[in-house]
Amino acid sequence: MSTPPTIHDLDGIAAIYPHEPEHFSIVRAQVQQRAQLVNTWSIKPGEKVLEIGCGQGDCTVVLATAVGDEGSVTAVDPASLDYGSPYTLGQAQVHLRASSVGHRINFVQADPIGFLQSSSEHYTTAVLAQCSWYFAAPHVFSDILAALLDRVDRICISEYALTSTDYRAMPHILATFAQASLECRKTTSTANVRSMLSPEQLRAAALAVGLAVKAETVMQPPEGMLDGSWEAGYVASKSFEEDVNKYVSDEREKAVCIAARDSVRAARDVLKAKGDRVHTMDIWVATFAKAG
């Protein structure tokens, strides 16, 4: 097995993550953003990290690189192992387990609260990296924080900021509101935006369960990060309109969803006319610890 990369070797970390050769630049940008988070949070060698909402493991592999052979990452996600594209959670996790940092990772398919209730393990750091919008309802975020309160030394959170210092990310911001206006009409969902919470709401939820802010910042994502383009592309697609017609019956609510779709298309067209493309919005990054 090859030697594990260092946290500064972004190409080496990206090479570990499952990808087709022609998609390396996409993976590399994702890894770069996760490395920005890990460096901002000062994840150290030897740490025992609990990652909530690990998905296919793009942040997991960076965390595993940062903690070294003396550390560990327990990566928890409730999603089915056949969920996800272009690689499912199961495929990605098998690939990462077989990598040079795989021995540092323990993937767990479980509800985070149920997992915490079934174990007494203590962790140095809990990480929730851009996962809160996947939760079925806003209270799930608060419930997870409450369950973590006495189980970790600190909690590190990142989420999209709903603002951007780069005008090219405006279609991404508009697209998230368009998706949220649709998703709140569904009883169940597998979409990327299920419970949209602003940084202010996330911070307030943390304070309400007894946490205190230790550090907070907003960062710009790497140029090559395509999340904004993907989200805007979905909202501008025929599939979004079909979902609106399927799930939204009220005439006024449907009009809001379609108007939001049109706004995304128009903002994207402005960029296209300038020879540019959609970028990803800013990301809010914070560290919390138990108050007192």
Side-chain angles (χ1 to χ4, degrees):
M1 184 176 295
S2 60
T3 302
T6 68
I7 192 61
H8 304 293
D9 181 10
L10 300 184
D11 286 348
I13 300 172
I16 291 174
Y17 193 76
H19 64 277
E20 298 300 319
E22 63 269 25
H23 296 154
F24 179 79
S25 62
I26 297 174
V27 172
R28 211 287 192 170
Q30 293 287 331
V31 164
Q32 182 180 351
Q33 193 270 321
R34 271 42 173 184
Q36 288 176 335
L37 295 176
V38 167
N39 291 328
T40 300
W41 290 324
S42 297
I43 304 292
K44 302 297 186 185
E47 283 211 49
K48 187 177 182 180
V49 175
L50 172 64
E51 184 189 5
I52 301 294
C54 65
Q56 283 98 333
D58 52 1
C59 189
T60 312
V61 69
V62 180
L63 289 167
T65 302
V67 301
D69 279 339
E70 301 303 314
S72 65
V73 179
T74 299
V76 180
D77 199 297
S80 169
L81 294 180
D82 62 6
Y83 172 79
S85 176
Y87 296 93
T88 66
L89 267 69
Q91 290 170 333
Q93 291 174 12
V94 166
H95 182 92
L96 291 176
R97 282 195 193 98
S99 75
S100 59
V101 298
H103 59 289
R104 305 172 185 173
I105 303 170
N106 176 32
F107 285 109
V108 180
Q109 184 193 10
D111 172 75
I113 296 174
F115 171 78
L116 288 165
Q117 292 173 341
S118 68
S119 168
S120 60
E121 289 290 325
H122 190 89
Y123 302 89
T124 57
T125 301
V127 168
L128 293 89
Q130 286 132 258
C131 67
S132 70
W133 290 3
Y134 286 89
F135 297 153
H139 72 83
V140 176
F141 177 74
S142 297
D143 292 346
I144 290 173
L145 294 186
L148 287 169
L149 193 62
D150 294 317
R151 304 289 299 282
V152 299
D153 298 334
R154 61 178 183 150
I155 301 174
C156 297
I157 302 169
S158 68
E159 194 51 87
Y160 292 109
L162 295 177
T163 61
S164 181
T165 51
D166 188 334
Y167 79 95
R168 296 173 297 177
M170 184 54 66
H172 185 199
I173 297 172
L174 294 171
T176 59
F177 281 97
Q179 287 193 62
S181 67
L182 167 62
E183 293 304 314
C184 67
R185 307 311 305 165
K186 298 181 183 180
T187 54
T188 60
S189 175
T190 58
N192 293 345
V193 184
R194 305 175 200 177
S195 297
M196 191 171 70
L197 294 167
S198 67
E200 289 76 9
Q201 290 172 300
L202 295 168
R203 186 191 310 109
L207 299 179
V209 301
L211 291 165
V213 179
K214 297 302 179 182
E216 189 175 12
T217 190
V218 173
M219 65 172 54
Q220 286 185 274
E223 282 281 322
M225 192 172 174
L226 298 181
D227 295 56
S229 180
W230 293 330
E231 300 300 343
Y234 162 62
V235 170
S237 72
K238 186 67 175 178
S239 296
F240 179 80
E241 182 176 349
E242 291 171 350
D243 281 349
V244 170
N245 290 329
K246 180 178 180 180
Y247 292 104
V248 183
S249 57
D250 183 84
E251 180 182 8
R252 291 174 300 174
E253 290 182 2
K254 185 174 293 188
V256 168
C257 292
I258 297 303
R261 186 275 314 273
D262 293 343
S263 182
V264 171
R265 286 180 172 177
R268 197 174 64 166
D269 287 346
V270 168
L271 295 178
K272 186 176 180 180
K274 294 180 177 181
D276 216 327
R277 60 173 178 79
V278 177
H279 283 240
T280 300
M281 76 175 88
D282 291 348
I283 297 169
W284 172 74
V285 187
T287 301
F288 297 86
K290 192 172 181 179

